[in-house]
Amino acid sequence: MKHVYVKKTAYGGLAAVLATGALLAGCGNSGDSAKGDSKGEAKRGSISSSIYDRGNVPAEEGTVDNNRWTKWLNGQGPVDVKFVPIPRAESKQKFNVLFASDSAPDLVFDYDAGLMNDLYAQKQLLPLDDLIKNDSTEYKKLADQYPILKEMGTKPDGKIYQFGRLLGMKTNDLLFIRKDWLKKLNLEVPKTTEELYKVAKAFREQDPDGNGLKDTYAINLSYTADSVINSMFQNTGLYSKDGKLQKTWEQAKEATAFKKQLFTEGLVDKDFLTDKNGEKAKQDWITGKLGMYAQSSGADQVATFAIYQSLKKNVPDAEVIPIELPKGPYGQFNPNSKFPVQMTAAINAKTKDPKAAMKYVDFLVSKPTMNALKNGLEGQHYQTDKDGCAQPIDKEKNKKEMAMTNDIAMLSSMALMGKCEKYEIKLNPEVPQEKEFLNIIETADKIYLNPNLPFSTEYDATVLPSLPADLVVINKNTDTINDLWKKAIVSGDKYTPEQALAEAKSLWEKSGGKQIDDFYNKWYQENKDKPLRNNDFMKLKFE
């Protein structure tokens, strides 16, 4: 296996962190004073930019498109930005509607590689090569120093269409379990999917919370939890076998049968399909009604710690540990991780001022901006300690006032921010709850980034080639096929996983799915000896 290595040089000569006074000034207005004056100063450009709407902005902070941070961006940034809210759980559908109606924003942010590939195939994205070469400062330096950003942003026509960031390999999918419930019911941590089922049944039927009621559930199935369970069965779309890339048909059937068993026996929330954003499942977990909680966001995240804190507030005696994904019929796997190089943004092909969009991207990738979006404003949200690291002044205040910054920071290359910007540095081991969470992060890193196990997803979507336009149309049947698996879960004897498999295969074949299979296999034959698998990227270094 080849060693993937990226050499780090100085970070582009970036300016030191902005002065506190200038930062604070940015929160007071939308930046009108910077637009230019009657003396002929250059006029600022104007763009629109998407921003995820997760419904997490406190009412007193405003709205997702109008709050202290959108004002700060307009006040400190080089262009005027109008923010377009995109519902996080339905981003693909929303973007499709916006592009179809010719009203999509100039700058498109989304984590979904499939969506970006579709937009490329539909010629909705602007080639960026000349823009980066001739009009960029910070992003150009970054991409020159880390050419992998150019490689990952390049589509089949040989041109760059996406901007990205450098994160290093991080955890994403997680599976937590109530260790105190295991102790109470004299159970061991499940090592296989069969054992997980037995634990799930006990968590539902043996009153682990001791209130005398049958009101606990085993595990969540809604929203991103689905991908965690799929990983136990290698149900991740494609896998290599016998020298070919193959679709995970049998894995999908087995994963569906497992979920169906949990659903039919009442071990999971019967309404999981309507829990579109996973909020109901989160509430069940933090109120102590769920024995296992599958989520996607990573262990070293403010949001993950906030969920842990909420559980401990409601159930002080709760003991939580992350566990390895149990071994399934196709082996044992690492779950999906945060890919170390993440392509997160593109420019609408119909934007009227691409240079303004480029200026805004340069502003977002600069170290001062990354610092502000990570730590807040010095003197207001953090103070610098003796080691030069930002330490929060009031964590509860920051939680409220910085609830929206993660989704603004989708171009922040945190792998280049040094040890001070590791989330662990913000936690105080002298505080029992924070010490507990430090242990959770350490354990999660060890068991979910295990070099001795394969990742459930062999090739990240960002590595796979973009489908040509004619195949994109065929691939849309994937949504219909996913609906067949969901139908099989909730339909009892009326519709089985075997029936779903037969119908899914038939639909795939009749619609021309073999053309997609052949397309990916051609790519696989040309690239299978290159370091492109997720396990290869575990060796990616930034130093």
Side-chain angles (χ1 to χ4, degrees):
M1 186 177 290
K2 296 180 181 179
H3 187 84
V4 184
Y5 185 79
V6 177
K7 184 178 180 181
K8 179 179 177 182
T9 59
Y11 188 67
L14 293 171
V17 177
L18 297 174
T20 303
L23 285 168
L24 292 172
C27 289
N29 57 65
S30 61
D32 290 342
S33 62
K35 290 182 180 179
D37 56 28
S38 58
K39 297 179 181 178
E41 182 183 334
K43 198 170 183 181
R44 287 161 61 94
S46 178
I47 65 167
S48 56
S49 172
S50 70
I51 185 171
Y52 281 143
D53 185 355
R54 301 178 188 267
N56 64 342
V57 180
E60 61 269 33
E61 287 295 304
T63 60
V64 70
D65 56 333
N66 185 17
N67 55 69
R68 74 174 62 231
W69 289 102
T70 60
K71 293 174 182 175
W72 182 84
L73 289 165
N74 275 290
Q76 297 301 317
V79 299
D80 295 325
V81 186
K82 176 185 177 183
F83 292 93
V84 179
I86 303 292
R88 177 64 185 102
E90 300 172 352
S91 65
K92 185 173 183 178
Q93 300 93 310
K94 180 67 174 179
F95 275 123
N96 285 336
V97 169
L98 290 174
F99 275 100
S101 62
D102 238 6
S103 54
D106 299 309
L107 197 53
V108 178
F109 284 91
D110 202 273
Y111 292 118
D112 188 343
L115 169 65
M116 291 296 191
N117 286 343
D118 289 350
L119 294 177
Y120 159 76
Q122 296 160 14
K123 300 189 183 304
Q124 301 278 20
L125 303 182
L126 183 75
L128 304 174
D129 303 71
D130 290 342
L131 199 62
I132 294 172
K133 179 181 178 181
N134 300 322
D135 299 286
S136 175
T137 54
E138 304 300 347
Y139 192 83
K140 182 179 184 299
K141 293 173 186 175
L142 190 62
D144 285 346
Q145 292 162 13
Y146 298 94
I148 195 168
L149 288 170
K150 297 177 183 178
E151 295 169 22
M152 298 295 294
T154 299
K155 298 299 185 186
D157 66 359
K159 297 178 182 178
I160 299 171
Y161 285 87
Q162 286 181 264
F163 299 110
R165 62 177 178 171
L166 306 167
L167 297 174
M169 191 68 89
K170 299 273 191 177
T171 58
N172 190 60
D173 286 3
L174 312 165
L175 179 59
F176 293 116
I177 197 167
R178 286 285 299 274
K179 185 179 178 181
D180 53 314
W181 284 15
L182 290 174
K183 290 178 181 177
K184 181 174 182 180
L185 302 181
N186 196 29
L187 298 168
E188 299 292 329
V189 171
K191 298 294 185 183
T192 66
T193 50
E194 290 89 350
E195 290 177 5
L196 188 145
Y197 162 72
K198 292 176 183 177
V199 169
K201 200 168 180 65
F203 280 176
R204 174 64 172 159
E205 297 179 351
Q206 295 183 26
D207 190 26
D209 63 350
N211 68 353
L213 302 173
K214 190 177 179 180
D215 60 349
T216 53
Y217 289 101
I219 191 170
N220 54 319
L221 285 184
S222 59
Y223 195 37
T224 56
D226 192 57
S227 71
V228 179
I229 295 176
N230 282 337
S231 290
M232 300 177 198
F233 293 85
Q234 200 188 19
N235 179 27
T236 53
L238 293 169
Y239 76 115
S240 60
K241 183 181 180 182
D242 300 329
K244 293 179 64 178
L245 269 189
Q246 303 187 26
K247 287 186 69 64
T248 53
W249 291 119
E250 291 298 322
Q251 291 93 327
K253 185 192 76 171
E254 292 292 337
T256 300
F258 183 76
K259 297 171 198 172
K260 185 182 185 75
Q261 183 179 27
L262 297 178
F263 179 85
T264 302
E265 297 187 21
L267 309 185
V268 297
D269 182 4
K270 290 284 188 182
D271 298 321
F272 78 92
L273 287 177
T274 62
D275 186 19
K276 299 294 186 183
N277 61 1
E279 189 61 31
K280 171 64 165 55
K282 184 172 78 172
Q283 291 304 313
D284 287 342
W285 173 250
I286 66 178
T287 55
K289 297 303 177 186
L290 204 56
M292 289 175 276
Y293 184 55
Q295 69 171 87
S296 298
S297 62
D300 59 339
Q301 296 292 314
V302 174
T304 306
F305 185 41
I307 291 172
Y308 180 73
Q309 288 177 300
S310 296
L311 169 63
K312 294 291 284 187
K313 182 178 180 180
N314 292 319
V315 190
D317 294 332
E319 293 181 61
V320 174
I321 56 170
I323 64 171
E324 288 182 303
L325 294 195
K327 183 179 180 180
Y330 300 94
Q332 187 174 23
F333 303 95
N334 289 317
N336 291 327
S337 65
K338 283 188 173 71
F339 198 67
V341 183
Q342 192 173 42
M343 310 314 291
T344 57
I347 295 179
N348 187 337
K350 295 183 179 178
T351 185
K352 294 179 181 178
D353 194 349
K355 292 184 179 181
M358 188 69 249
K359 285 182 181 178
Y360 182 58
V361 168
D362 279 342
F363 173 68
L364 290 177
V365 304
S366 70
K367 198 167 184 178
T369 303
M370 290 196 296
N371 179 71
L373 296 178
K374 175 72 173 180
N375 298 306
L377 309 181
E378 187 167 15
Q380 183 174 333
H381 297 105
Y382 75 90
Q383 56 191 9
T384 304
D385 65 16
K386 59 181 177 60
D387 297 317
C389 297
Q391 294 294 345
I393 296 171
D394 185 334
K395 292 181 180 179
E396 289 303 313
K397 177 174 177 287
N398 288 5
K399 190 187 302 183
K400 180 182 71 175
E401 294 187 357
M402 299 186 67
M404 64 296 294
T405 54
N406 274 350
D407 289 328
I408 299 171
M410 287 174 64
L411 280 174
S412 291
S413 288
M414 299 315 299
L416 308 181
M417 293 288 282
K419 66 179 181 65
C420 287
E421 294 314 316
K422 288 188 175 182
Y423 181 66
E424 296 91 311
I425 205 78
K426 312 295 181 186
L427 297 173
N428 183 357
E430 301 296 323
V431 178
Q433 200 171 96
E434 295 187 24
K435 182 179 181 180
E436 292 165 9
F437 198 72
L438 278 168
N439 290 332
I440 286 175
I441 293 173
E442 182 179 350
T443 302
D445 283 346
K446 180 179 179 181
I447 65 176
Y448 298 138
L449 301 174
N450 183 349
N452 298 316
L453 289 178
F455 279 94
S456 56
T457 302
E458 189 171 0
Y459 290 99
D460 192 85
T462 57
V463 168
L464 293 173
S466 303
L467 291 172
D470 58 327
L471 298 188
V472 168
V473 176
I474 296 173
N475 201 46
K476 290 190 181 298
N477 284 309
T478 301
D479 293 335
T480 304
I481 290 172
N482 286 338
D483 289 340
L484 296 177
W485 299 123
K486 293 175 184 176
K487 178 182 175 182
I489 294 171
V490 302
S491 296
D493 295 336
K494 296 178 181 178
Y495 193 73
T496 66
E498 288 75 18
Q499 288 173 290
L501 175 62
E503 192 171 348
K505 280 187 170 182
S506 176
L507 176 61
W508 186 250
E509 291 167 6
K510 288 178 180 178
S511 62
K514 186 178 183 301
Q515 296 176 58
I516 295 178
D517 295 338
D518 291 343
F519 174 84
Y520 282 131
N521 259 300
K522 182 178 183 297
W523 172 87
Y524 175 71
Q525 297 304 323
E526 294 170 351
N527 293 278
K528 63 182 179 181
D529 295 325
K530 297 178 182 178
L532 296 170
R533 291 175 175 83
N534 282 351
N535 280 75
D536 295 322
F537 280 96
M538 287 185 74
K539 298 178 180 179
L540 188 64
K541 304 293 183 184
F542 302 100
E543 52 182 56

